[in-house]
Amino acid sequence: MANILLVEDDERLAKLIKDFLKQNGFDVTVLHQGDHAIDYIKKSPPDLAILDVMLPKVDGFSICKAVRTTYHQPILFLTAKDSDFDHVLGLEIGADDYLIKPIEPHVLLARINTRLRRQSLPEQPIESLSFGELFIDKTARKVMLAEQDIELTSHEFELLWLLAEHAGEPQSRDFIHQKMIGREYDGLDRSVDVRVSRLRKKLHDNLAQPYRIITVWGKGYMLSKTAW
């Protein structure tokens, strides 16, 4: 049974929501003041928190900001204000959803169930990536380009996977060196550059003017998403 914290200063509305959610199999704790909610969430984290925006002493936005760094369960906001600013602000500070009063009980139930299902799904690791005719299988450690197998060393494969995970985003030599070599870049070690050069050759890049693994001056190396 999932535990839900409802922070709502309208006692009548809070009772209606609590009774409805209990009828649908939830354990519900109700608080009416925002300052009490911060301590409660930190000490007894609920599976999901529903926060009214306008609360006495501490508002819902402030509660969210105060707990979000350590509380990773879903947070839903309730408000009577239908304002784009409030919507944006709520999402920017870490809310997962936003409902405008008056609340349709079955809509609230659906939103809660959706958020709890998403929270319970394990994050699936990425095992393969593809860009045009380039296919990379992490599990089998296999690389194909235009339906041809590309033979890579272990170090070359790790470098390609690292760049492919961040395709379209330059990765600094310092970052690559730390990930590949396991220590900070000292400004002299050229092992990353050598591996990039070898990888470019095996992936049929233009060594004079690389367009598949691009050098972004001042930023590092980047795998193109579109050059395959």
Side-chain angles (χ1 to χ4, degrees), residues 122-137:
E123 186 175 342
Q124 298 298 318
I126 298 173
E127 297 298 339
S128 66
L129 293 167
S130 61
F131 307 93
E133 294 186 314
L134 176 66
F135 175 74
I136 312 167
D137 186 328

Side-chain angles (χ1 to χ4, degrees), residues 30-42:
V30 175
L31 297 175
H32 300 298
Q33 292 189 187
D35 53 339
H36 296 164
I38 294 173
D39 288 339
Y40 183 93
I41 292 173
K42 289 181 176 180

Side-chain angles (χ1 to χ4, degrees), residues 141 151-159 195 198 202:
R141 299 182 75 81
E151 297 294 331
L152 299 181
T153 67
S154 178
H155 290 314
E156 290 164 352
F157 183 88
E158 293 295 339
L159 174 59
R195 291 177 188 179
R198 290 174 178 168
K202 291 187 176 182

Side-chain angles (χ1 to χ4, degrees), residues 76-178:
L76 277 64
F77 278 138
L78 302 180
T79 182
K81 293 169 123 182
D82 189 2
S83 161
D84 287 339
F85 171 78
D86 283 342
H87 282 261
V88 172
L89 178 59
L91 296 174
E92 284 184 346
I93 64 176
D96 296 279
D97 211 339
Y98 204 107
L99 290 169
I100 305 298
K101 298 176 184 178
I103 304 155
E104 170 58 47
H106 292 285
V107 173
L108 174 61
L109 180 62
R111 300 284 185 89
I112 290 171
N113 285 331
T114 296
R115 292 298 165 184
L116 290 175
R117 279 197 302 270
R118 290 179 183 175
Q119 193 71 17
S120 64
L121 289 174
E123 186 175 342
Q124 298 298 318
I126 298 173
E127 297 298 339
S128 66
L129 293 167
S130 61
F131 307 93
E133 294 186 314
L134 176 66
F135 175 74
I136 312 167
D137 186 328
K138 184 179 182 183
T139 303
R141 299 182 75 81
K142 181 177 182 178
V143 177
M144 296 187 71
L145 180 58
E147 300 184 356
Q148 299 294 316
D149 288 331
I150 304 296
E151 297 294 331
L152 299 181
T153 67
S154 178
H155 290 314
E156 290 164 352
F157 183 88
E158 293 295 339
L159 174 59
L160 176 59
W161 183 261
L162 176 63
L163 293 173
E165 280 189 305
H166 304 279
E169 302 174 7
Q171 303 303 306
S172 71
R173 185 182 283 104
D174 293 352
F175 174 75
I176 297 172
H177 197 278
Q178 181 67 47

Side-chain angles (χ1 to χ4, degrees), residues 196-228:
V196 168
S197 179
R198 290 174 178 168
L199 188 57
R200 282 171 168 161
K201 185 175 182 179
K202 291 187 176 182
L203 294 176
H204 311 303
D205 204 349
N206 185 329
L207 300 185
Q209 292 183 311
Y211 64 97
R212 287 180 162 169
I213 300 178
I214 303 165
T215 300
V216 182
W217 298 110
K219 293 187 177 181
Y221 294 110
M222 179 180 74
L223 184 84
S224 170
K225 291 182 175 182
T226 59
W228 307 95

